[in-house]
């Protein structure tokens, strides 16, 4: 049986679903929404199904090269993506 390609899932749309279902505080949504958007710009696409571990590592490395603080990268940038993708997997 031939495999059927999976349709893309918008990372931004996935974040919006996560924010609503998890009842994130307005402050968290305001802080994380642009970080998710920035990740999609880095990737060059908005397909959550096409994101791999290497994509996240490359983004982290690029943030650190921009002199973004390690704590900010871990607790904001990566946390927002991790939570969104974990929600999508669940």
């Amino acid at each position: 049986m031939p495999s059927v390609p999976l349709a893309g899932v918008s990372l931004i749309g996935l974040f919006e679903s996560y924010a609503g279902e998890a009842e994130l505080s307005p402050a968290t949504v305001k802080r994380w929404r642009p970080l998710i958007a920035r990740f999609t710009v880095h990737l060059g696409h908005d397909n959550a199904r096409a994101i791999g571990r290497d994509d996240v590592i490359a983004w982290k490395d690029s943030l650190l090269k921009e002199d973004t603080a390690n704590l900010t990268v871990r607790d904001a940038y990566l946390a927002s993506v991790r939570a969104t993708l974990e929600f999508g997997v669940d």
Side-chain angles (χ1 to χ4, degrees), residues 5-90:
L6 298 172
V9 174
S10 165
L11 182 63
I12 293 171
L14 189 60
F15 172 74
E16 296 299 335
S17 294
Y18 165 62
E21 192 167 313
E23 298 179 354
L24 297 181
S25 73
T28 300
V29 173
K30 182 179 178 181
R31 173 72 173 123
W32 283 12
R33 184 180 282 129
L35 303 181
I36 296 294
R38 185 169 175 186
F39 184 47
T40 64
V41 169
H42 170 81
L43 292 170
H45 65 80
D46 182 37
N47 183 358
R49 288 186 188 264
I51 298 169
R53 179 179 173 85
D54 291 343
D55 296 318
V56 177
I57 292 170
W59 188 46
K60 175 195 64 127
D61 291 344
S62 73
L63 291 167
L64 294 173
K65 285 180 185 172
E66 296 172 4
D67 290 328
T68 307
N70 288 345
L71 193 62
T72 302
V73 170
R74 185 190 73 204
D75 292 348
Y77 288 85
L78 296 179
S80 64
V81 170
R82 181 184 316 111
T84 301
L85 292 175
E86 285 177 353
F87 171 79
V89 170
D90 289 346

